[in-house]
């Protein structure tokens, strides 16, 4: 060992020792912060499914590859990071000797070939990612970037480190070639041989290059260890547990879609009959009241901005960015952590738990962070502004796009729950909706005894539960379908088609009340449970004696469809729920409904968030339209899982949209740009919002917004009267 090798070995050992010590300290700090969260025992169920899903999503890159080039580039870089870590390890053998290498496998030709290929592809991949980040930098002219709000230096730093490590990997091999110490043939390592051809025959080159490679790698580790909130680096470690502990590992897409996470206290579902606000946690008022999985979510965020780029609120000038919300919660959690780890924190009555002695040594910044309200305006020093919280439509686009399975919607609703149930702080106009739900059982406040008025004028009798014993489907009409004029046409169309197909069905009539979706999404879990328990009792009575496979419900509203099918099980209601487009597609496919006259004029389809993204029903509405229209369905650029929200979800239907561009107008402009004369929908909320958008654009005479069922009815029974021009909703 020469003098150069002695120096490089000492340098490598010293910087590695510092880096490892700092990394261990950082990991311990991160674990301590995450453990501050509330229990979530359900996250440990079905470990086999969790492990399988985690391996598929990480190794297969199933979420990232939806983005084409960027997904493929990221996959190569990820594989390179894992496999080429062996070459970083090999560098420790190379700093001490010019012909050093990894023991055992380091001399196998297959090892040289595989690492050469991965090295080249990773090099291409990181250059592509760097170019994409530069092209989408927030300071670029025109438009908002998905990187707006991200800590850009961290992204650039990580990418340059990866690039330099890859380059010096080839430089080390090149010096081995130049000094005739390389064990792999040209055919297996052509790039390394090409590099060696231009490098000098410098005996110490291998050791110096290896030392530089180690210094670069350990500098990266030191920097991220000193920045535990550096998600762009830490996600490569935290993504694995975050995906493993996702809420529902068997789901094909975002785990936080569909049902909301139940309201819990100390990890147990809250029983409102026994709950006490002084003893039980109602929603989230402080960052430590999120579950530990929530704190892991915040720590894992990679700041890629995919959630932001798809968010309807962000895209229409609202203050909500799912990414910035998560980053704000992350930064707040870690800044507040010293106070919490010292024993600080407020109990459920607002009293400080820590003694003066416990808090005496704390940094003033940690104490200041602890005093910040979780929800509050800038003047109040709040972590999350109320306008951010109430801009969310719970459309799930953020959850769908997140490559590391962060459950944004659950966290937003948890914060809403505290604001509504304890603080009584929410947009005033939504108060009318909540009072109507409590007093009238529907958000419009319509008289319950008019729930069956939609049946008047039909040329067949609509059977009621109690009047008939034998029916295949219970037709869940929903509040909109019973009271809102546009939605009534859909209800009548579905009933007519079911009757035409010979499907036996019954309705609950006045026995039906609101499913509770608007109450739950706004955060009023108490009203939701009151309505849901009433409905579960009614439905269980209607299906008494039937097994689940025969407890069939068809619903025209995706919000009811989602609530009945995904959430009533939390309250003892197990039903087989289908959306009307699914049933209609089946009836057409089996020949029970036959379209006879295609509907022309061009048709585009708007995917409702709670039907498509939340419940993966994309094909059925398109199959119905494909059978009913003349020519091809014209898709909007944003469709299927990337469909753009109408703006009504998350109880936004009953809140004024005062900030930025109206979401429904943005969507209508996209629909009109297709040139289609008919915009087909599968949701009464979407129908209302898009109709309002079309009328607002002054295009009511040129573009019609109608439900898929009405399109099919026109094709199956072209003589069927359609009821003239759409009218405005009652009370809306």
């Amino acid at each position: 060992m020469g003098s150069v090798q002695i120096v490089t070995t000492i340098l490598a050992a010293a910087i590695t020792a510092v880096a490892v010590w700092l990394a261990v300290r950082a990991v311990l700090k991160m674990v301590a912060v995450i453990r501050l969260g509330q229990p979530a025992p359900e996250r440990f169920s079905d470990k086999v499914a969790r492990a399988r899903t985690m391996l598929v999503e990480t190794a297969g890159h199933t979420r990232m590859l939806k983005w084409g080039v960027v997904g493929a580039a990221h996959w190569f870089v990820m594989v390179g990071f894992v496999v080429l870590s062996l070459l970083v390890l090999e560098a420790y053998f190379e700093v001490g000797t010019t012909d050093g290498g990894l023991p055992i496998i380091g001399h196998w030709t297959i090892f040289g070939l595989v690492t050469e290929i991965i090295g080249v592809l990773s090099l291409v991949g990181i250059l592509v990612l760097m170019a994409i980040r530069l092209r989408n930098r927030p300071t670029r002219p025109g438009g908002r970037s998905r990187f707006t709000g991200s800590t850009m230096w961290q992204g650039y730093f990580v990418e340059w480190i990866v690039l330099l490590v890859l380059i010096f990997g080839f430089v080390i091999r090149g010096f081995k070639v130049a000094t005739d110490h390389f064990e792999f043939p040209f055919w297996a390592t052509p790039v390394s041989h090409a590099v060696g051809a231009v490098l000098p025959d410098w005996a110490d080159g291998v050791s110096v290059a290896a030392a530089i490679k180690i210094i670069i790698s350990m500098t990266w580790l030191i920097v991220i260890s000193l920045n535990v909130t550096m998600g762009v680096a830490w996600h490569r470690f935290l993504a694995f547990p975050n995906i493993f502990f996702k809420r529902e590992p068997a789901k094909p897409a975002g785990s936080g879609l569909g049902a909301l996470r139940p309201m819990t206290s100390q990890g147990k579902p809250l029983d409102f009959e026994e709950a006490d606000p002084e003893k039980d946690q109602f929603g989230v008022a402080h960052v430590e009241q999120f579950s530990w999985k929530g704190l892991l979510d915040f720590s894992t965020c990679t700041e890629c901005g995919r959630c932001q780029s798809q968010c309807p609120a962000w895209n229409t000038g609202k203050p909500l960015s799912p990414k910035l919300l998560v980053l704000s919660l992350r930064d707040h959690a870690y800044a507040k952590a010293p106070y919490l780890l010292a024993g600080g924190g407020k109990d459920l009555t607002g009293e400080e738990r820590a003694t003066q002695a416990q808090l005496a040594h704390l940094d003033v910044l940690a104490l200041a962070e602890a005093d910040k309200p979780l929800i509050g305006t800038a003047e109040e020093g709040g972590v999350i502004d109320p306008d951010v919280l109430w801009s969310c439509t719970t459309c799930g686009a953020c959850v769908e796009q997140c490559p590391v399975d962060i459950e944004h919607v659950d966290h937003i609703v948890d914060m809403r729950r505290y604001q509504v149930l304890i603080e009584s702080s929410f947009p005033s106009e939504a108060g009318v909706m909540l009072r109507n739900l409590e007093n009238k059982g529907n958000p419009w406040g319509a008289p319950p005894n008019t729930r069956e008025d939609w049946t008047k004028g039909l040329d067949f009798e609509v059977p009621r539960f109690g009047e008939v014993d034998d029916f295949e489907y219970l037709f869940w009409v929903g509040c909109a379908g019973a009271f809102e004029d546009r939605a009534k046409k859909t209800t009548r169309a579905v009933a007519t088609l079911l009757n035409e197909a010979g499907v036996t069905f019954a309705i609950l009539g006045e026995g039906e009340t609101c499913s509770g979706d608007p109450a739950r999404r706004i955060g009023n879990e108490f009203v939701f449970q009151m309505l849901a328990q009433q409905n579960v009792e009614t439905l269980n009575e209607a299906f008494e004696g039937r097994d689940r496979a025969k407890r069939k419900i068809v619903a025209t509203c995706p919000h009811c469809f989602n609530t009945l099918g995904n959430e009533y099980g939390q309250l003892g209601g197990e039903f087989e729920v289908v959306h009307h487009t699914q049933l209609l597609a089946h009836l057409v496919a089996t020949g029970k409904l036959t379209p006879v006259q295609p509907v022309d004029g061009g048709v585009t389809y708007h995917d409702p968030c709670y039907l498509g993204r939340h419940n993966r029903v994309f094909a059925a509405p398109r199959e119905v339209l494909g059978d009913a229209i003349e020519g091809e369905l014209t898709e909007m650029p944003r469709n299927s899982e990337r469909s753009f929200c109408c703006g009504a979800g998350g109880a936004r239907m009953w809140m004024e949209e005062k900030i930025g561009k109206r979401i429904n107008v943005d969507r209508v402009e996209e629909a009109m740009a297709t040139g289609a004369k008919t915009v087909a929908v599968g949701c009464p909320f979407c129908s209302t919002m898009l109709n309002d958008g079309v009328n607002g654009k002054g295009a009511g005479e040129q573009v019609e917004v109608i439900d898929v069922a009405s399109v099919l009815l026109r094709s199956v029974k072209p003589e069927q009267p359609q009821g003239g021009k759409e009218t405005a909703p009652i009370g809306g």
Side-chain angles (χ1 to χ4, degrees):
M1 181 183 288
S3 58
V4 171
Q5 284 70 40
I6 293 173
V7 172
T8 54
T9 300
I10 292 172
L11 284 174
I15 195 169
T16 300
V18 172
V20 170
W21 178 75
L22 289 173
V24 170
R25 191 183 69 165
V27 169
L28 291 175
K29 179 179 180 180
M30 200 173 291
V31 170
V33 171
I34 292 169
R35 286 172 59 108
L36 289 169
Q38 299 303 302
E42 73 280 2
R43 303 287 180 167
F44 294 91
S45 65
D46 202 355
K47 294 183 177 63
V48 173
R50 292 182 180 280
R52 181 171 56 246
T53 299
M54 183 264 290
L55 289 172
V56 168
E57 285 197 21
T58 52
H61 246 46
T62 52
R63 308 293 287 278
M64 285 293 294
L65 286 176
K66 293 178 182 179
W67 291 88
V69 172
V70 66
H74 192 277
W75 186 83
F76 287 126
V77 172
M78 180 203 70
V79 172
F81 177 80
V82 174
V83 175
L84 300 184
S85 294
L86 291 173
L87 297 186
V88 176
L89 178 61
E90 186 176 48
Y92 285 93
F93 295 90
E94 294 165 332
V95 291
T97 175
T98 56
D99 59 351
L102 200 63
I104 305 174
I105 64 171
H107 301 284
W108 296 353
T109 300
I110 187 65
F111 175 75
L113 174 63
V114 169
T115 51
E116 184 89 352
I117 293 171
I118 292 174
V120 171
L121 293 176
S122 297
L123 197 58
V124 173
I126 196 62
L127 289 172
V128 169
L129 293 181
M130 293 173 79
I132 289 171
R133 186 178 293 272
L134 285 169
R135 190 184 66 195
N136 291 282
R137 65 193 184 281
T139 55
R140 82 195 196 288
R144 284 184 168 187
S145 164
R146 64 183 174 93
F147 292 118
T148 298
S150 297
T151 313
M152 293 301 288
W153 76 261
Q154 295 180 352
Y156 294 136
F157 172 78
V158 168
E159 287 168 345
W160 272 102
I161 288 289
V162 172
L163 179 64
L164 291 172
V165 167
L166 289 168
I167 289 173
F168 272 90
F170 283 110
V171 170
I172 292 169
R173 287 186 163 187
F175 273 120
K176 284 187 175 182
V177 171
T179 57
D180 202 24
H181 289 117
F182 198 48
E183 55 269 76
F184 304 124
F186 179 86
W187 66 266
T189 53
V191 176
S192 298
H193 279 270
V195 173
V198 298
L199 289 178
D201 181 3
W202 181 27
D204 296 325
V206 172
S207 297
V208 172
I212 294 173
K213 182 176 181 178
I214 290 170
I215 290 169
I216 292 170
S217 301
M218 292 304 106
T219 298
W220 173 81
L221 189 56
I222 289 169
V223 170
I224 73 168
S225 297
L226 295 173
N227 294 272
V228 290
T229 59
M230 194 170 173
V232 69
W234 282 106
H235 83 275
R236 63 186 59 199
F237 306 112
L238 297 178
F240 297 97
N242 207 57
I243 295 170
F244 181 88
F245 289 115
K246 66 195 293 188
R247 178 147 59 87
E248 295 183 57
K251 275 199 169 184
S255 173
L257 295 173
L260 279 174
R261 182 173 175 267
M263 193 165 165
T264 60
S265 180
Q266 291 300 311
K268 298 176 182 178
L270 202 62
D271 182 350
F272 276 93
E273 292 183 3
E274 300 179 0
D276 181 352
E278 293 189 1
K279 297 178 181 178
D280 296 299
Q281 180 180 314
F282 279 57
V284 169
H286 306 285
V287 72
E288 65 271 19
Q289 291 180 339
F290 287 106
S291 72
W292 62 261
K293 174 56 169 64
L295 295 176
L296 178 59
D297 270 358
F298 308 152
S299 302
T300 307
C301 179
T302 162
E303 304 190 25
C304 67
R306 303 207 173 281
C307 57
Q308 182 172 286
S309 68
Q310 296 293 302
C311 177
W314 177 259
N315 277 286
T316 53
K318 314 292 189 294
L320 169 63
S321 155
K323 178 187 72 177
L324 298 181
L325 179 140
V326 166
L327 297 186
S328 295
L329 292 171
R330 178 198 69 189
D331 293 344
H332 173 59
Y334 280 88
K336 188 178 180 181
Y339 160 79
L340 296 171
L341 292 170
K346 303 289 194 299
D347 63 21
L348 294 172
T349 64
E351 295 296 319
E352 176 60 60
R353 288 194 294 258
T355 64
Q356 288 281 359
Q358 286 176 299
L359 303 181
H361 68 285
L362 285 182
D363 184 274
V364 66
L365 294 177
L367 291 172
E369 196 72 29
D371 286 336
K372 287 185 178 181
L374 189 65
I375 307 298
T377 62
E379 291 76 16
E380 296 166 335
V383 179
I384 304 297
D385 191 278
D387 284 335
V388 169
L389 189 66
W390 298 110
S391 291
C392 180
T393 67
T394 69
C395 71
C398 49
V399 179
E400 168 77 37
Q401 294 303 322
C402 181
V404 292
D405 278 305
I406 293 171
E407 297 160 9
H408 313 72
V409 173
D410 281 343
H411 305 320
I412 288 171
V413 173
D414 271 340
M415 290 186 284
R416 285 183 172 188
R417 284 166 168 165
Y418 180 83
Q419 294 300 306
V420 172
L421 293 172
I422 303 300
E423 296 290 337
S424 295
S425 176
F426 52 89
S428 58
E429 60 269 24
V432 177
M433 177 269 290
L434 290 172
R435 287 192 294 273
N436 286 337
L437 288 178
E438 291 189 71
N439 299 328
K440 299 290 187 179
N442 69 84
W444 284 281
N449 61 7
T450 62
R451 270 194 180 270
E452 298 179 36
D453 284 2
W454 65 271
T455 63
K456 295 175 181 178
L458 291 173
D459 56 7
F460 59 91
E461 189 70 25
V462 176
R464 280 80 172 166
F465 164 67
E467 298 175 6
V468 292
D469 295 324
D470 186 28
F471 57 88
E472 185 179 1
Y473 286 94
L474 184 71
F475 182 12
W476 183 271
V477 177
C479 299
F483 301 121
E484 200 268 327
D485 288 337
R486 296 186 186 109
K488 283 185 193 178
K489 295 183 179 181
T490 301
T491 308
R492 291 165 64 89
V494 171
T496 302
L497 289 166
L498 295 181
N499 182 70
E500 180 76 11
V503 175
T504 56
F505 68 96
I507 63 171
L508 292 174
E510 291 183 42
E512 185 182 301
T513 191
C514 180
S515 67
D517 166 86
R520 189 168 224 197
R521 264 71 197 166
I522 203 173
N524 197 325
E525 186 75 6
F526 177 79
V527 171
F528 164 73
Q529 293 212 13
M530 178 186 72
L531 295 168
Q533 287 170 352
Q534 180 180 336
N535 282 326
V536 166
E537 185 177 334
T538 301
L539 291 168
N540 282 339
E541 180 184 348
F543 291 120
E544 189 174 4
R546 299 191 188 193
D547 58 35
R548 175 168 178 168
K550 294 184 179 179
R551 295 159 68 91
K552 297 181 180 178
I553 299 174
V554 58
T556 57
C557 175
H559 296 264
C560 296
F561 165 67
N562 177 70
T563 304
L564 271 63
N566 293 329
E567 297 185 336
Y568 276 15
Q570 298 169 4
L571 301 169
E574 297 290 339
F575 314 109
E576 289 293 327
V577 187
V578 298
H579 189 251
H580 70 282
T581 58
Q582 293 175 296
L583 181 54
L584 295 178
H586 171 72
L587 295 174
V588 173
T590 55
K592 294 182 179 179
L593 288 175
T594 305
V596 294
Q597 181 174 309
V599 176
D600 59 10
V603 178
T604 190
Y605 174 65
H606 163 79
D607 287 274
C609 300
Y610 274 83
L611 181 63
R613 201 158 29 235
H614 279 278
N615 285 283
R616 321 310 293 173
V617 179
F618 301 118
R622 289 173 169 81
E623 289 169 2
V624 174
L625 292 171
D627 290 319
I629 67 175
E630 187 172 42
E632 293 288 324
L633 181 70
T634 305
E635 292 282 11
M636 285 182 260
R638 295 177 292 193
N639 65 78
S640 301
E641 68 270 10
R642 293 187 191 170
S643 180
F644 197 70
C645 184
C646 74
R652 289 292 322 172
M653 179 85 168
W654 292 275
M655 295 183 239
E656 291 296 325
E657 195 170 349
K658 301 173 183 176
I659 304 173
K661 183 179 182 181
R662 294 183 66 87
I663 294 172
N664 62 331
V665 171
D666 192 293
R667 185 57 164 169
V668 161
E669 289 173 352
E670 184 175 6
M672 291 175 62
T674 66
K677 301 302 180 186
T678 300
V679 180
V681 297
C683 171
F685 290 3
C686 296
S687 176
T688 296
M689 299 300 285
L690 298 188
N691 263 296
D692 288 352
V694 167
N695 292 332
K697 299 290 290 184
E701 298 298 324
Q702 294 81 42
V703 178
E704 184 180 23
V705 180
I706 58 171
D707 193 87
V708 171
S710 295
V711 176
L712 180 61
L713 182 60
R714 291 180 182 181
S715 181
V716 171
K717 301 184 72 173
E719 76 285 355
Q720 183 79 13
Q722 297 304 316
K725 190 72 182 157
E726 304 279 16
T727 57
I730 61 171

